[in-house]
Every structure is written in structure tokens, then in C-alpha cells.
Amino acid sequence: QVQLVESGGGLVQPGGSLRLSCAASGRIFSINHMAWYRQAPGKERELVAIIRSTGSTNYADSVKGRFTISGDNAKTVYLQMNSLEPEDTAVYYCNCNIKRTVSIVNYEYWGQGTQVTVSS
């Protein structure tokens, strides 16, 4: 089994910054990608940012230029969020797609979510 532990959420004023962290542990042979999703009340879960094993990244249009996703070799992914707006308020979920062994089978896991609230 694989566990994703998120941290770093909280309350911040508009224009402020937060940094989310997500640490993966458990039976992981290799990581295909790690990503951050978010879900606001009454809305569907949406992809915010993704980082692949190649190092390539993609962002939702709404966060480009404000958010940065990064990772380290310790199976941790970060989401640096700057210039936060009230519209960024949501529960943020960490996601990973991994291989447990040398095979073609991929597995997907989710964190428990961390609340980000942007309000004055």
C-alpha cells in the first residue's frame, strides 16, 4: 500500500502565499507522476499541476504564473502558491501514479486533502 501525507494548508489573505507538501511512502518501485488537484464547494475536482518523472510540468490555466510544482528524490512533491486569490479556496488533494514492481501495471493514490482558504 502507498500513503500520501499532505501538509501546508491554511488561511491566507488575498495576495499571500502558501506552500503545500505531499510525502509518498510505502511500496513504490517508481513514480510516473505526482500531481495536485483541488475541489471547491459545489464544483468538480480539477487538476491544478502535475510533474512527471521526466521533470516536465503542466498547470491549469487559472494558476499559470502563480503556482509552481516541484519534487525531490525523497518522493515528496511541493506546490508553491503565490498571489493567492479567493477563487483558489478549495480542498487540495495530492495524487500519484506509481509502479509497485517492474511491470506495466500502474497504480493511483490520493491524499486525504488539505484545506486552503483565501480570505480577508
Side-chain angles (χ1 to χ4, degrees):
Q1 195 57 278
V2 172
Q3 296 80 39
L4 298 176
V5 179
E6 301 145 333
S7 61
L11 173 64
V12 64
Q13 293 186 342
S17 298
L18 281 175
R19 189 192 194 206
L20 305 182
S21 300
C22 173
S25 62
R27 187 181 175 188
I28 298 173
F29 176 75
S30 64
I31 297 177
N32 299 316
H33 71 247
M34 295 187 76
W36 288 96
Y37 286 73
R38 67 185 181 186
Q39 188 167 19
K43 295 187 177 181
E44 293 186 355
R45 190 173 297 189
E46 64 173 351
L47 176 66
V48 176
I50 185 170
I51 183 166
R52 301 174 183 84
S53 59
T54 59
S56 68
T57 59
N58 285 99
Y59 296 90
D61 288 341
S62 59
V63 307
K64 282 181 181 177
R66 301 188 298 122
F67 291 11
T68 302
I69 190 170
S70 62
D72 61 24
N73 293 327
K75 302 171 186 175
T76 301
V77 66
Y78 306 95
L79 185 68
Q80 178 65 44
M81 305 185 293
N82 299 327
S83 302
L84 282 161
E85 305 168 351
E87 293 73 23
D88 296 317
T89 296
V91 178
Y92 284 70
Y93 296 92
C94 180
N95 166 271
C96 73
N97 186 287
I98 65 112
K99 293 186 186 297
R100 291 181 181 172
T101 63
V102 181
S103 75
I104 63 172
V105 180
N106 298 319
Y107 296 85
E108 190 167 25
Y109 295 93
W110 294 88
Q112 78 283 0
T114 184
Q115 177 71 45
V116 171
T117 303
V118 185
S119 175
S120 56

